[in-house]
Amino acid sequence: MSTATTTRFGAELRAICGAANVVDDPALLRGRQVLGVVPSTVVTPASADEAAAVLRVANENGLSVVPAGGFTAQNMGRKPAQVDVLLSTSRLRELEHYDAADLTIGVGAGWTVADLAAKVAADNLFFPGDPALPERATVGGLLATGFCGPHRQGYGGLRDYCIGIRFVTGDGHKAKGGGRVVKNVAGYDMMKLLIGSYGTLGVITSASFKLFPAPRQTRTFIAEFPGAAEAFQFRNQVLRSPLDPICLELVSPGARQLLHGFGSDGPWLVLLRAAGSDPVLARYRAELGSAVARELEGINEREAWRALSNFSHTVEERCPQSLLLSLQLPLREVGPILQQLATVSASLKHAVIGRFGAGHLLVALWQPSGSTVQAKAFADAIAGLRHRLPIDASIAVLSCPPEVRADIAWIATPTHVESMRVVKKVLDPNDTLNHGRFLF
Ligand SMILES: Cc1cc2nc3c(=O)[nH]c(=O)nc-3n(C[C@H](O)[C@H](O)[C@H](O)COP(=O)(O)OP(=O)(O)OC[C@H]3O[C@@H](n4cnc5c(N)ncnc54)[C@H](O)[C@@H]3O)c2cc1C
């Protein structure tokens, strides 16, 4: 963007959002880099109307816009050639509706996940979204990335409990999918497309969710297994039983070495988190039998699950040269893919955790110490996994070493990527949003 355009555009943005909410002083923008690219302007609209006006101006001027929430996942995708406007959602903080009796809430996209959870917890209600770093991750970012943490087992994915999304298209029109009440399903497919669109189809300005009664108490049962096969047998036994855990997490020996508090060495673990009264928890204990080696409650339990939710960021911190993948799989494929992993990444070390009773795995791959990062080994591992994946599965690269970023296929790939491309042409005809970062 030329200086002349910056000045003209800056003036228009100030007229829309107020001078205090438009920053284009380069000295103040360095901390807001997107994959090393300093944005020309950061603008912070306070409403959907302001966001729409900003996008209209950007669209008409051929500027690129990157929506930004808590900045916990801005290192995904290809490096953008330039970022003209970083559109921060931090002022989209309205409480649009809240009906505790009807178990529904609607909030601005700039709410952090932790604030939303605390708001409803005051009424003994529960919001199951459990991203890494919930104090920073926003509702908009959560929906845009579409990932779920360990609660996926008991509460489903975002598409199950998000009931409506309000958004602004790339060319600056306000739109919505779904509604504010559970029974309203009009526009549902549009809502589903926005979830996991990585900020390429629209800027999410607010969303409505179904809530759940807060569990009275929880307990986590930890089982240990010499190999993955035994862990899968245990999973199948649980899934066939009347038990209905809220989390069921697989932790590989490699993952134990990376996670804090899981022992630096040891066999495969399965953590099962149950909710209910004392008799219900006693029933779990009896049903699970001798497989259970330990139980966690209270602060120890919360810390263990927090560590699992933060796994990917721990990997980035402790193993910055690793490739981190998120795999969404049909249940029947989870076991075979784990077997495949050993074959396709023979020269690499790996760590795996995931909601293996719901088909979501996080896989970290890295070179053994001493060897240099080889893009080919990573690319081969991705290709090997993709080759094995059925059509109804997806694989997304969450992070990779900077040296191989340009060579990795950033296949942040929802299964419906083709429909995404078609929808992108309609909603964002000039490719204003997250230009060039993803495949759609
Ligand atoms: C390495 C890595 C690991 C992750 N691990 C997990 C995990 O274990 N569990 C989990 O649940 N999630 C995980 N995520 C996903 C992500 O951290 C969370 O979903 C989080 O909620 C993102 O929120 P944010 O506000 O920080 O988004 P940001 O980092 O600000 O943005 C993330 C993406 O969403 C877009 N975006 C942000 N806000 C909006 C909006 N309002 N409208 C449209 N697009 C928007 C951005 O353009 C960007 O593409 C991971 C992400 C990464 C990169």
Side-chain angles (χ1 to χ4, degrees):
M1 187 168 61
S2 72
T3 313
T5 316
T6 312
T7 313
R8 179 163 52 82
F9 187 53
E12 286 186 63
L13 288 178
R14 285 182 175 81
I16 296 166
C17 298
N21 303 304
V22 179
V23 177
D24 48 16
D25 175 350
L28 301 175
L29 295 170
R30 287 204 186 93
R32 303 264 84 190
Q33 292 179 30
V34 178
L35 293 164
V37 179
V38 181
S40 306
T41 313
V42 176
V43 58
T44 314
S47 65
D49 284 328
E50 287 188 9
V54 168
L55 278 163
R56 277 196 299 276
V57 172
N59 184 54
E60 281 157 17
N61 288 280
L63 306 176
S64 65
V65 176
V66 172
F71 244 77
T72 64
Q74 286 290 358
N75 49 358
M76 291 176 74
R78 291 176 201 275
K79 185 173 171 166
Q82 61 185 53
V83 177
D84 296 324
V85 178
L86 188 81
L87 192 157
S88 165
T89 59
S90 62
R91 291 173 73 221
L92 299 176
R93 293 274 311 167
E94 197 183 339
L95 177 62
E96 291 191 348
H97 64 96
Y98 179 36
D99 185 341
D102 196 37
L103 302 176
T104 51
I105 192 166
V107 295
W111 275 60
T112 65
V113 173
D115 283 350
L116 172 53
K119 169 80 188 164
V120 304
D123 293 317
N124 279 325
L125 295 177
F126 182 65
F127 174 68
D130 52 352
L133 310 177
E135 288 80 13
R136 283 173 50 205
T138 61
V139 163
L142 182 74
L143 291 165
T145 52
F147 291 124
C148 293
H151 288 139
R152 170 79 189 278
Q153 178 66 39
Y155 298 94
L158 282 160
R159 291 188 176 97
D160 298 303
Y161 55 84
C162 177
I163 54 177
I165 288 183
R166 272 74 65 195
F167 63 100
V168 176
T169 61
D171 53 0
H173 294 99
K174 288 200 296 177
K176 64 180 179 176
R180 293 168 181 234
V181 290
V182 176
K183 63 179 183 290
N184 184 346
V185 292
Y188 189 55
D189 285 340
M190 185 54 77
M191 184 183 81
K192 281 186 170 176
L193 279 172
L194 261 286
I195 296 175
S197 62
Y198 298 92
T200 59
L201 299 183
V203 175
I204 297 163
T205 51
S206 65
S208 299
F209 298 97
K210 181 167 80 171
L211 301 168
F212 298 83
R216 269 169 59 184
Q217 61 178 341
T218 63
R219 188 176 299 159
T220 294
F221 302 93
I222 304 181
E224 297 189 347
F225 300 98
E230 291 84 352
F232 276 85
Q233 270 171 19
F234 178 77
R235 178 199 73 171
N236 294 343
Q237 176 198 330
V238 170
L239 295 182
R240 279 197 296 264
S241 77
L243 303 179
D244 190 17
I246 55 176
C247 308
L248 185 63
E249 196 83 1
L250 179 72
V251 180
S252 78
R256 292 182 71 171
Q257 288 173 11
L258 293 175
L259 285 164
H260 300 283
F262 281 76
S264 58
D265 211 356
W268 291 76
L269 296 181
V270 176
L271 283 84
L272 181 152
R273 191 175 201 182
S277 60
D278 285 340
V280 169
L281 295 179
R283 168 97 193 267
Y284 271 91
R285 185 70 188 80
E287 289 267 347
L288 297 175
S290 60
V292 174
R294 275 189 298 145
E295 295 179 25
L296 297 177
E297 280 184 320
I299 180 89
N300 292 339
E301 184 188 29
R302 283 196 296 280
E303 279 180 2
W305 287 104
R306 196 175 168 83
L308 288 167
S309 287
N310 285 345
F311 172 75
S312 32
H313 289 279
T314 305
V315 169
E316 280 190 308
E317 251 171 59
R318 297 194 62 189
C319 209
Q321 296 301 85
S322 63
L323 174 76
L324 188 62
L325 303 173
S326 165
L327 306 177
Q328 301 275 354
L329 307 158
L331 213 46
R332 64 179 186 283
E333 292 294 338
V334 181
I337 277 291
L338 265 190
Q339 281 174 349
Q340 183 81 354
L341 189 61
T343 315
V344 300
S345 61
S347 66
L348 302 169
K349 298 187 118 196
H350 63 260
V352 180
I353 73 159
R355 322 38 283 184
F356 76 146
H360 181 213
L361 295 179
L362 291 170
V363 176
L365 300 167
W366 66 97
Q367 313 275 156
S369 58
S371 39
T372 49
V373 172
Q374 285 176 2
K376 184 166 180 336
F378 287 159
D380 287 350
I382 294 174
L385 289 173
R386 274 175 73 83
H387 180 66
R388 179 69 182 74
L389 289 179
I391 186 95
D392 50 347
S394 73
I395 179 168
V397 179
L398 295 182
S399 67
C400 70
E403 305 87 302
V404 304
R405 181 170 289 280
D407 301 311
I408 288 290
W410 282 91
I411 37 175
T413 322
T415 45
H416 47 283
V417 67
E418 282 310 320
S419 15
M420 283 307 222
R421 287 201 181 113
V422 175
V423 177
K424 170 104 175 146
K425 285 208 176 81
V426 177
L427 296 184
D428 185 23
N430 292 331
D431 202 3
T432 300
L433 290 167
N434 266 325
H435 177 75
R437 278 180 80 186
F438 303 100
L439 288 179
F440 38 86

